[in-house]
Amino acid sequence: MHENLFSFFLVLVPLLGIAAQWFAWRLQIPSILLLLGFGLCLGLWHSPDQILAELTGGGSEVGPKLLFPLVSLSVAIILFEGGLTLRWNQLGSGAGTVFRLIGIASLITWGLTVLLSYFLLGFSWQLAWLLGAILMVTGPTVVGPLLRQIRPNRRVSNILQWEGILIDPVGAVAAVLVFEVVTHSESLSWLAIARTMLETLGIGVLLGCAAAAVLVFSLRKYWIPDFLHGVFFLVVTLAAFWLSNQWREESGLVTVTILGICLANQNYVSVDHVLEFKEHLRVFLISCLFIVLGSRLQLSALMEIGWWGIPFVLLLIFVVRPLS
């Protein structure tokens, strides 16, 4: 019985995801709104955590243990595909704007979120700093679908695409550093924090470049047949992501982003056919991700935040983001 329910859930998630994408296209509204709405409705019936707990006979912690690795791998693929679209020659004079959005605007979002978390939600300063680091991220899963809907001019689109992809690994590294500081505040020095950051970025850059070199060399030597290019790139991306995270936690997002950027900006082999395959995969993964994550949201958990959670969210949207 539980197996049938789980298989039905596996079919229902992509079905709802693609249906939300189609309705959003027909109604000319951002798909993320319908994806979250469909996910919330699915969660009222059954959440993936409940189904996995019933299937395995485990407790409530089983769902996150099984789901989070799948979510991480999906985000890695989405970031890699996003990196494949980032070409230096298309950025041009927008490089300074991207730097300010990542280096200055994200700090403004971070700082103001910390203040709101502390004074409105009553969080401790440690938890407020951690929440601010997480919420400063926009990410390609949000920016990409919005750009497809809004269709700004080329310069604005390139700037937002670069920012949306690069801010994801930056935010992940920031969240990990804050978490390390919060949990080891007594024994952690500024030198150790700097070393952790440099190791994370260094491993991500080196492994990303190395993986790109392996892929380019393999294609130039015709070691990989044409029909395996897409899946070979996919496997190498996932392997690089996993290996990078084994060496340093959360460096995998840096690795796959650098991997995509390196492949997009080299002139030795064409990756356009791989990009087309990854674009289709990205739409599928984003559709499933938002349905699954939306279905995990419980109204009881939202109520625990209290009524102050409403002005907190509204201030984030209408004050913090515009200021940044």
Side-chain angles (χ1 to χ4, degrees), residues 98-270:
V98 172
F99 175 79
R100 290 192 297 274
L101 283 172
I102 295 175
I104 300 176
S106 60
L107 292 179
I108 294 174
T109 302
W110 191 355
L112 293 177
T113 304
V114 169
L115 295 176
L116 291 177
S117 303
Y118 181 79
F119 289 107
L120 281 183
L121 301 182
F123 287 180
S124 65
W125 283 114
Q126 293 91 336
L127 186 57
W129 279 107
L130 181 59
L131 182 64
I134 295 172
L135 292 182
M136 76 177 185
V137 175
T138 51
T141 56
V142 176
V143 174
L146 289 177
L147 288 178
R148 187 184 302 112
Q149 179 67 34
I150 299 171
R151 297 186 183 278
N153 64 54
R154 183 180 296 273
R155 181 173 182 271
V156 173
S157 179
N158 288 333
I159 288 172
L160 293 177
Q161 197 167 5
W162 273 85
E163 185 271 344
I165 293 168
L166 294 182
I167 194 64
D168 222 27
V170 170
V173 172
V176 168
L177 290 176
V178 174
F179 183 75
E180 289 291 328
V181 171
V182 169
T183 54
H184 304 94
S185 57
E186 297 179 355
S187 59
L188 204 62
S189 64
W190 287 106
L191 183 61
I193 296 173
R195 189 179 75 174
T196 300
M197 182 177 67
L198 291 176
E199 285 181 356
T200 303
L201 296 176
I203 290 173
V205 171
L206 289 176
L207 196 55
C209 292
V214 169
L215 288 172
V216 171
F217 187 79
S218 300
L219 263 62
R220 289 197 71 185
K221 292 294 184 179
Y222 300 101
W223 289 347
I224 312 299
D226 292 345
F227 73 94
L228 285 181
H229 282 184
V231 291
F232 187 74
F233 274 54
L234 177 62
V235 169
V236 170
T237 300
L238 295 177
F241 174 76
W242 177 84
L243 182 61
S244 184
N245 277 341
Q246 294 302 303
W247 286 346
R248 173 61 67 180
E249 189 178 6
E250 296 303 334
S251 64
L253 296 181
V254 181
T255 297
V256 295
T257 304
I258 295 297
L259 171 58
I261 293 175
C262 288
L263 290 173
N265 291 278
Q266 51 81 32
N267 298 314
Y268 298 104
V269 296
S270 173

Side-chain angles (χ1 to χ4, degrees), residues 42 45 56 84 142 146 170 176 184 199 206 285 306-307 323-324:
L42 179 61
W45 169 64
T56 59
L84 284 174
V142 176
L146 289 177
V170 170
V176 168
H184 304 94
E199 285 181 356
L206 289 176
L285 289 176
W307 291 109
L323 279 174
S324 67

Side-chain angles (χ1 to χ4, degrees), residues 77-87 90 161 165 233 237 256-257 259-266 271-272 274-276 278-279:
I77 296 171
I78 293 169
L79 277 178
F80 170 65
E81 189 277 334
L84 284 174
T85 65
L86 301 182
R87 300 182 185 273
Q90 294 178 351
Q161 197 167 5
I165 293 168
F233 274 54
T237 300
V256 295
T257 304
L259 171 58
I261 293 175
C262 288
L263 290 173
N265 291 278
Q266 51 81 32
V271 294
D272 291 341
V274 176
L275 179 58
E276 183 178 356
K278 292 293 188 295
E279 284 178 345

